[in-house]
Every structure is written in structure tokens, then in C-alpha cells.
Amino acid sequence: MINFSIMIMRVILGVFFAVMLTRFFYGRVDPVWVAGLAIFLVGMSYVTEYFRKRKRDK
């Protein structure tokens, strides 16, 4: 249950920051760019979590 709520929080924050970044750099919000950037941001949060846990477990 906790992991699911963390995932939902990351998705919401990923979409929010993707909208803000596309609006800042392109001046408009294109759903394709927002979706791609949101997927990238959420994916990178899981990648950094993986490396942080791997480093901590050593």
C-alpha cells in the first residue's frame, strides 16, 4: 500500500514538473512532450532509488 501511494505521488509530481518545464522552455503545453517528460522523470526517480538502495545495502 505504501509503495502504491509513493508511485502515485511520483506520477503526480512528474506530470506537474513536466508541465512546468515544457511551459517554461516551449511556451506551450504539448501533451506528447508532457507525457514523454513525465515518464522520463518518474523513471529516473526509480533509477536513483535503485542506486541509493544498492549503495546502502553494501
Side-chain angles (χ1 to χ4, degrees):
M1 181 66 180
I2 292 174
N3 289 336
F4 182 72
S5 62
I6 290 173
M7 183 188 72
I8 295 299
M9 188 183 322
R10 285 179 178 168
V11 168
I12 290 170
L13 288 172
V15 170
F16 173 75
F17 283 112
V19 168
M20 297 307 285
L21 286 171
T22 56
R23 189 158 174 88
F24 181 74
F25 286 110
Y26 293 113
R28 58 185 168 84
V29 177
D30 186 19
V32 175
W33 282 103
V34 169
L37 187 57
I39 290 169
F40 174 76
L41 290 172
V42 173
M44 289 308 294
S45 71
Y46 279 104
V47 168
T48 57
E49 179 185 13
Y50 168 76
F51 284 123
R52 186 174 45 240
K53 282 185 178 181
R54 196 177 101 193
K55 184 178 178 182
R56 184 181 57 195
D57 291 341
K58 280 188 172 181

